[in-house]
Amino acid sequence: MAKVLFVVTGASYWTLEDGTRHPTGYWAEEFAAPYRELTTAGHQIVVATPKGVVPHVDVMSLRPSMAGGEEVARELEDTLRSAEELRRPIELANARLEDYDAVYYPGGHGPMEDLWQDADSGRLLATALASGKPLAIVCHAPVAMMATRHNGASPFAGYRVTAFTNDEEDAVGLREKARWTAEDELVKMGVDFSRGEMWKPYTVRDRNLFTGQNPASAGPLAKEFMTELG
């Protein structure tokens, strides 16, 4: 049995260009789908958040229209309700990579508020990348890579990566309101950015780094990095 660290945003809102706060958090499917895959296989999950706050689910992600139907929405709610780990997170600053076999970052717009500039997360990411252990990051969560920059350079530069695209941000009506986008900032960092179809599962692996484009990619991403856990 492996022990997997889920690093989850602690933000409940995302500050837009005009200073308004857009309610958000983590995206339900991006937590629930990998959680189900991993726990069903017998693996242990530990949740870490900045300052150990109990994470907020983006309520939009539980709406049937966003989740893919009434039944799917109910399944997501059931999974989140049963995931006791969400209600007793550890503090991200206290997470030690040596205690875990893999690290996973679910997205939602929350990381655009906190993880992109969280130094504890940045240190963990850089250490995880160098360790060779599976490191999986999905949707908006790849913006956490921005916190690994030192003197303008990041260890993720040159890696093949995907994330929530500008086209998808346009489709949800938030690109024009944002201070910056995940795709733009990752490209500036020097990653080799690629994309699949909007809203369809799309994952990229480069060495021990696994990234997924959008919520639909979270489940497939979990299946991929689980193969490394034995």
Side-chain angles (χ1 to χ4, degrees):
M1 180 182 77
K3 192 174 181 182
V4 182
L5 182 68
F6 275 37
V7 180
V8 183
T9 176
S12 59
Y13 62 85
W14 173 33
T15 306
L16 302 178
E17 178 67 33
D18 64 2
T20 59
R21 293 181 171 184
H22 177 74
T24 188
Y26 68 89
W27 198 258
E29 182 179 2
E30 295 173 30
F31 179 92
Y35 181 87
R36 285 194 298 257
E37 292 285 348
L38 289 160
T39 55
T40 298
H43 301 304
Q44 180 184 354
I45 306 298
V46 174
V47 171
T49 62
K51 299 182 180 178
V53 301
V54 175
H56 301 262
V57 65
D58 189 323
V59 294
M60 285 288 290
S61 65
L62 292 171
R63 290 186 179 179
S65 59
M66 300 296 288
E70 296 277 356
E71 184 177 347
V72 177
R74 281 195 298 271
E75 289 174 355
L76 289 173
E77 286 196 45
D78 288 346
T79 299
L80 299 185
R81 194 176 296 115
S82 69
E84 285 298 320
E85 298 89 343
L86 279 170
R87 285 168 281 287
R88 44 182 176 83
I90 67 169
E91 189 168 344
L92 181 54
N94 296 331
R96 302 184 311 166
L97 182 66
E98 55 263 36
D99 294 334
Y100 303 96
D101 300 291
V103 178
Y104 169 66
Y105 278 64
H109 280 103
M112 303 281 283
E113 184 69 25
D114 60 359
L115 295 181
W116 75 274
Q117 57 181 344
D118 188 287
D120 296 316
S121 174
R123 284 189 289 271
L124 178 70
L125 283 170
T127 304
L129 188 69
S131 74
K133 294 180 178 181
L135 171 60
I137 318 175
V138 72
C139 199
H140 286 91
V143 301
M145 297 176 192
M146 294 165 65
T148 67
R149 292 174 296 189
H150 182 66
N151 293 328
S154 166
F156 288 90
Y159 274 75
R160 290 184 294 110
V161 168
T162 189
F164 201 71
T165 65
N166 284 342
D167 289 340
E168 287 165 319
E169 207 71 84
D170 278 332
V172 297
L174 288 169
R175 184 181 178 188
E176 63 182 15
K177 300 177 182 178
R179 292 174 294 172
W180 43 267
T181 67
E183 179 180 337
D184 287 348
E185 291 303 315
L186 290 171
V187 168
K188 287 178 188 176
M189 276 177 50
V191 305
D192 180 5
F193 191 91
S194 67
R195 77 192 69 218
E197 286 186 68
M198 286 175 56
W199 314 125
K200 299 290 180 67
Y202 181 72
T203 62
V204 173
R205 178 180 183 177
D206 189 343
R207 287 155 277 185
N208 63 315
L209 177 64
F210 300 76
T211 52
Q213 179 173 315
N214 47 36
S217 306
L221 192 70
K223 286 186 173 72
E224 286 186 34
F225 81 81
M226 270 177 57
T227 63
E228 302 296 309
L229 299 179

